[in-house]
Amino acid sequence: MIYFDNAATTFPKFKEVYEALEYAGVNYAFNAGRGSYKKAKLILDMIEDTRSKVSKLLNSTSDRVVFTSSATEALNNLIYGLIKEGDEVLISPFEHNAVVRTLHNINAKINIIPFNKDLELDEVKFKDLLVIKQPKAIIISHISNVLGYMLPYEKIFSIGKKVNTINILDAAQSLGEYDIDINNIDIVVFAGHKSLYAMFGVAGYLNLTNVSLKTIKVGGTGSDSLNLDMPSIMPYRYEAGTNNSIAIYTLNKAIDVITKLDIKKHKEELTNYLISKLKDIPGIKLYLPKNSLPCGIVSFNYKDYIANDIGSILADDYDICVRTGYHCVPFLNDFLDLNKNKGTIRVSFSYFNTFAEIDKLIDALKGME
Amino acid sequence: MIYFDNAATTFPKFKEVYEALEYAGVNYAFNAGRGSYKKAKLILDMIEDTRSKVSKLLNSTSDRVVFTSSATEALNNLIYGLIKEGDEVLISPFEHNAVVRTLHNINAKINIIPFNKDLELDEVKFKDLLVIKQPKAIIISHISNVLGYMLPYEKIFSIGKKVNTINILDAAQSLGEYDIDINNIDIVVFAGHKSLYAMFGVAGYLNLTNVSLKTIKVGGTGSDSLNLDMPSIMPYRYEAGTNNSIAIYTLNKAIDVITKLDIKKHKEELTNYLISKLKDIPGIKLYLPKNSLPCGIVSFNYKDYIANDIGSILADDYDICVRTGYHCVPFLNDFLDLNKNKGTIRVSFSYFNTFAEIDKLIDALKGME
């Protein structure tokens, strides 16, 4: 199997992560608890150690790291905790349904940040939009899960701060692999099982500037039980129920591994190679940013074929796994005209992909000519 | 280590569950997807097979089973999806903060179902309360996580139905081990890592009567991406983001094991034995229902000692793990007078506990005299 669906979840994981899963299943499957039995204290220490490792990825501190079960849950809790009906919010055309459907669900006013067809920010229109809408928040991806496009988040957030927007960066496709300049960012969302190479069950956000949030996920905290409100102490105020210590331990060990590697560089080389090869195939339409390199994710179509039909042939005849369709990005179709192909064919890389795998994909596509 | 904190999470798990964790980490850590590559289809089939196994525990159907990451998330989503500010809701005095804090968080009107000090339902007062409040919902535990008390849910729910309450049973401490009569129940909540002996990361609810719920958890569903609402098809309407297929597979295998065993009987025997032994120790105060046997969970105190101090001695000197305090049940203190002891000492059993372990606990407690 050739696996090119790493934007959905990275596969394989590092051997240290598989070992961590197995070890934690036996040794760390307890509820964390201060002032309790040894195992409970051990779990608490391990979780706090992981929190510290996550915080260091963004030069922050442990108390700013809130764990959730998924990036979807993180974005749900953040948006419900911050935005109310009628609030103006700016997002990019590349945002995922974890953001868009959540905003839509509470009837927030969704405004799309203007980009041109070359994926360049239209700064003038963007500034106009900011002045007119005075949005409460800007929520954008660091790297688009469809196009691999790295958004100019520094520029967008610094301009936004002039009207005091709360700036949220969805780094589900990047934290762990790509550096993030936290200047002007209030909150960063991460997904453990994607660019951080952990197992399912751990994700979260860093509330870097301690933005005030309503509590959404509430429940038992193992302390302060008689208080009907969540305890005030950070980050526990935003974590209810049993932490998934097994998944958290896989993240702990994954961070140790990935911080020693230059995964970004390898993905850049793979991306360059894939694009150069795809450009040689007649009938391939690439969706590329004009002035930057996609970051490990490339979307394309082949002639007028339905993207999913190409995906099925690649899967069934070549055992090559790609993702096809609209990739949970509802405004993409307004931005790129994808009706004919019903979405795109998406190739997304991880540390484990090779140039030889790309050659096999290229041969497969050429075989369809 | 003697582990008596199974109401928090069962430990150990069955060897089939450890094997499932290891296997799924390598083989099932993919995103589920119809019409995609082989692994994605395989995950989807496995998840649907697990859904079917869960549904059979309550003679229901797969489409009624919604998976969440934890019982807390299930209760959050249900309450937010069903109850709005000012709605009258009835709960028992034994409900967990996953219920109470969630109701409090949206300013629902919380009414406590009247029980007397012998843990008997006061039927007359209960009926009066129903008539006066005309509550939208009744939310009660099947088995109290503090007292092991099995609530008379059949009676409560059948009386409630006369004023058309939506009846929700929190079976976090029971599904998989205890039978549930689903007559008059609308929704049953379960926790994978407790009485179902799965790993962290899978829980959920069965919407047995298809109660209409607002969507709370929203995000990507891998299909219908251009629709800003969640897809209408059940149960996918209520599941956003990547399912935790690793945890779900451990639940799949756990159900195979536990449905072949009579765990209830073993826990009853342990409970009887523990109570009889505790009654022999002067200074032990037991919190027992008058006319029924606690179900695998026993709460007690020892003289006027702070519960947590006894817990610490048991942990540090005897390597016995119990839970102490208020157990995330805020109204318990109004019901039982626990101020002096600051909560209770709670022993909770699983299939793996033995009579010999109970003897060691009894010896330890006697050693403190």
Side-chain angles (χ1 to χ4, degrees):
Chain A
M1 179 179 74
I2 294 175
Y3 184 76
F4 285 144
D5 196 17
N6 293 285
T9 190
T10 44
F11 174 85
K13 311 295 185 189
F14 293 91
K15 79 169 176 7
E16 290 85 346
V17 173
Y18 291 118
E19 287 164 6
L21 181 74
E22 201 183 329
Y23 184 83
V26 178
N27 295 285
Y28 287 155
F30 298 92
N31 284 58
R34 214 177 294 277
S36 186
Y37 46 87
K38 253 178 282 180
K39 278 286 187 186
K41 289 178 202 167
L42 182 76
I43 305 310
L44 186 74
D45 290 347
M46 181 277 290
I47 292 173
E48 292 313 306
D49 181 55
T50 312
R51 220 186 279 282
S52 168
K53 287 182 183 179
V54 171
S55 74
K56 281 175 188 154
L57 295 173
L58 292 175
N59 295 312
S60 184
T61 49
S62 302
D63 58 319
R64 301 301 166 90
V65 179
V66 174
F67 286 127
T68 62
S69 64
S70 67
T72 300
E73 192 192 24
L75 284 162
N76 282 184
N77 291 351
L78 284 170
I79 291 170
Y80 293 150
L82 200 60
I83 311 290
K84 58 180 196 306
E85 184 171 349
D87 280 350
E88 300 282 353
V89 178
L90 265 58
I91 65 171
S92 87
F94 318 113
E95 295 319 306
H96 192 276
N97 266 326
V99 170
V100 183
R101 281 181 173 164
T102 312
L103 290 168
H104 177 74
N105 202 34
I106 49 171
N107 290 314
K109 290 186 178 153
I110 300 172
N111 303 281
I112 307 294
I113 297 173
F115 283 81
N116 67 28
K117 298 282 174 195
D118 291 327
L119 304 184
E120 287 166 328
L121 175 69
D122 187 329
E123 235 179 283
V124 174
K125 281 190 190 161
F126 171 54
K127 284 176 178 167
D128 287 350
L129 191 64
L130 273 174
V131 170
I132 296 164
K133 298 293 182 180
Q134 298 284 323
K136 177 153 193 187
I138 299 176
I139 310 175
I140 55 173
S141 311
H142 182 203
I143 295 174
S144 155
N145 73 303
V146 183
L147 303 174
Y149 173 53
M150 188 185 290
L151 275 77
Y153 66 95
E154 291 121 316
K155 184 177 281 179
I156 291 170
F157 286 154
S158 77
I159 296 172
K161 273 295 171 199
K162 289 174 187 162
V163 297
N164 294 314
T165 52
I166 295 167
N167 292 335
I168 301 178
L169 187 73
D170 175 356
Q173 296 295 342
S174 62
L175 190 66
E177 293 182 338
Y178 289 80
D179 291 333
I180 295 171
D181 173 5
I182 61 169
N183 199 22
N184 291 314
I185 304 185
D186 294 294
I187 298 171
V188 174
V189 175
F190 63 93
H193 70 95
K194 298 190 180 197
S195 54
L196 286 156
Y197 294 80
M199 288 291 176
F200 294 137
V202 59
Y205 60 86
L206 289 93
N207 189 344
L208 298 168
T209 61
N210 211 8
V211 174
S212 170
L213 293 167
K214 275 194 300 182
T215 52
I216 302 301
K217 186 170 195 182
V218 299
T221 44
S223 66
D224 206 9
S225 292
L226 306 185
N227 181 356
L228 297 195
D229 291 307
M230 290 289 282
S232 58
I233 190 166
M234 277 290 291
Y236 310 107
R237 180 168 177 75
Y238 298 97
E239 291 179 1
T242 306
N243 262 315
N244 188 335
S245 48
I246 301 175
I248 289 173
Y249 188 62
T250 68
L251 177 60
N252 190 310
K253 291 295 154 189
I255 291 175
D256 289 347
V257 176
I258 62 175
T259 47
K260 289 189 191 109
L261 301 171
D262 192 348
I263 301 178
K264 174 174 172 280
K265 183 163 174 283
H266 179 61
K267 286 175 67 167
E268 271 178 14
E269 288 167 359
L270 293 169
T271 307
N272 263 326
Y273 186 73
L274 172 64
I275 289 171
S276 72
K277 292 286 178 181
L278 284 173
K279 280 183 171 167
D280 284 345
I281 303 177
I284 291 283
K285 174 167 175 49
L286 279 155
Y287 302 96
L288 294 180
K290 193 177 183 186
N291 293 313
S292 65
L293 177 74
C295 303
I297 300 172
V298 176
S299 258
F300 62 94
N301 271 308
Y302 188 45
K303 297 178 181 167
D304 285 349
Y305 294 122
I306 306 295
N308 190 51
D309 292 347
I310 302 292
S312 294
I313 295 169
L314 289 173
D316 298 343
D317 297 352
Y318 299 94
D319 207 11
I320 295 175
C321 309
V322 298
R323 183 72 50 157
T324 59
Y326 294 102
H327 314 287
C328 302
V329 177
F331 296 125
L332 191 73
N333 201 33
D334 301 345
F335 188 73
L336 306 171
D337 180 21
L338 304 172
N339 282 326
K340 240 184 327 201
N341 303 102
K342 295 193 178 165
T344 75
I345 303 155
R346 180 185 75 183
V347 170
S348 54
F349 296 124
S350 86
Y351 177 76
F352 293 97
N353 288 117
T354 65
F355 297 95
E357 289 177 330
I358 294 173
D359 288 340
K360 285 185 183 152
L361 170 68
I362 296 297
D363 286 346
L365 289 169
K366 282 183 176 165
M368 295 179 204
E369 275 184 276
Chain B
M1 179 178 74
I2 294 176
Y3 184 77
F4 286 144
D5 195 16
N6 293 284
T9 191
T10 44
F11 173 85
K13 310 296 185 189
F14 293 92
K15 77 169 177 7
E16 290 84 348
V17 173
Y18 292 119
E19 287 165 4
L21 180 74
E22 201 184 327
Y23 184 83
V26 178
N27 296 285
Y28 287 156
F30 298 92
N31 285 57
R34 213 177 295 275
S36 186
Y37 45 86
K38 253 177 281 179
K39 278 286 187 187
K41 290 177 201 167
L42 182 76
I43 305 309
L44 186 74
D45 290 346
M46 182 277 289
I47 292 173
E48 292 312 306
D49 181 55
T50 312
R51 219 186 279 283
S52 167
K53 287 182 183 178
V54 171
S55 73
K56 280 175 187 154
L57 296 173
L58 291 175
N59 295 313
S60 184
T61 49
S62 302
D63 58 318
R64 301 302 166 90
V65 178
V66 174
F67 286 127
T68 62
S69 63
S70 68
T72 299
E73 192 191 26
L75 285 162
N76 281 184
N77 291 352
L78 284 170
I79 291 170
Y80 293 150
L82 201 59
I83 311 290
K84 57 181 197 306
E85 185 170 349
D87 280 351
E88 301 281 352
V89 179
L90 263 58
I91 65 170
S92 88
F94 317 112
E95 296 318 307
H96 192 277
N97 267 325
V99 170
V100 184
R101 282 181 172 164
T102 312
L103 290 169
H104 177 73
N105 202 34
I106 49 171
N107 290 313
K109 290 187 178 153
I110 300 172
N111 303 281
I112 308 293
I113 297 173
F115 283 81
N116 67 28
K117 300 280 176 197
D118 291 327
L119 305 185
E120 288 165 328
L121 174 70
D122 187 329
E123 236 179 281
V124 175
K125 282 191 190 162
F126 171 55
K127 284 176 178 167
D128 287 349
L129 191 64
L130 274 174
V131 171
I132 296 165
K133 299 292 182 180
Q134 298 284 324
K136 178 153 192 185
I138 298 176
I139 310 175
I140 55 173
S141 312
H142 182 202
I143 295 174
S144 155
N145 73 303
V146 184
L147 303 173
Y149 173 53
M150 188 185 290
L151 275 77
Y153 66 95
E154 291 119 319
K155 185 177 283 180
I156 290 171
F157 286 154
S158 77
I159 295 173
K161 274 295 171 199
K162 289 174 186 160
V163 296
N164 294 314
T165 52
I166 295 167
N167 293 335
I168 302 178
L169 187 72
D170 176 356
Q173 296 295 341
S174 62
L175 190 67
E177 292 181 340
Y178 288 80
D179 290 333
I180 295 171
D181 173 5
I182 60 168
N183 200 20
N184 291 313
I185 304 185
D186 295 293
I187 298 171
V188 174
V189 175
F190 64 92
H193 70 95
K194 298 190 179 196
S195 53
L196 285 157
Y197 294 81
M199 289 290 176
F200 294 138
V202 59
Y205 59 87
L206 289 92
N207 189 344
L208 298 167
T209 61
N210 211 8
V211 174
S212 170
L213 293 168
K214 275 193 301 182
T215 53
I216 302 300
K217 186 170 196 183
V218 299
T221 44
S223 66
D224 206 10
S225 291
L226 305 185
N227 181 356
L228 297 196
D229 290 307
M230 290 288 282
S232 57
I233 190 165
M234 276 290 291
Y236 311 107
R237 180 167 176 75
Y238 297 98
E239 292 179 0
T242 306
N243 263 314
N244 189 335
S245 49
I246 301 175
I248 289 173
Y249 188 62
T250 68
L251 177 60
N252 189 309
K253 291 295 155 189
I255 291 174
D256 288 348
V257 176
I258 63 175
T259 46
K260 289 188 191 111
L261 301 171
D262 192 348
I263 301 178
K264 173 174 173 280
K265 183 163 173 284
H266 179 61
K267 285 176 67 168
E268 271 178 14
E269 288 166 359
L270 293 169
T271 307
N272 264 326
Y273 186 73
L274 173 64
I275 290 171
S276 72
K277 292 286 177 181
L278 284 172
K279 280 183 172 167
D280 284 346
I281 304 177
I284 291 282
K285 175 168 174 48
L286 279 154
Y287 303 95
L288 294 179
K290 194 178 182 186
N291 293 312
S292 65
L293 178 74
C295 303
I297 300 172
V298 176
S299 259
F300 62 94
N301 271 308
Y302 188 44
K303 298 179 180 165
D304 285 349
Y305 295 121
I306 306 295
N308 190 50
D309 291 347
I310 302 293
S312 294
I313 295 169
L314 289 173
D316 298 344
D317 297 352
Y318 300 93
D319 207 10
I320 295 175
C321 309
V322 298
R323 183 73 47 158
T324 59
Y326 293 101
H327 314 286
C328 303
V329 178
F331 296 124
L332 192 72
N333 201 34
D334 301 345
F335 189 71
L336 306 170
D337 179 22
L338 304 172
N339 282 325
K340 240 184 326 199
N341 303 103
K342 295 192 179 165
T344 75
I345 303 155
R346 181 186 74 183
V347 170
S348 53
F349 297 125
S350 85
Y351 177 77
F352 293 97
N353 289 117
T354 64
F355 297 94
E357 288 177 329
I358 295 173
D359 288 340
K360 285 185 184 153
L361 169 69
I362 296 297
D363 287 346
L365 289 169
K366 282 183 176 165
M368 295 179 203
E369 275 184 276

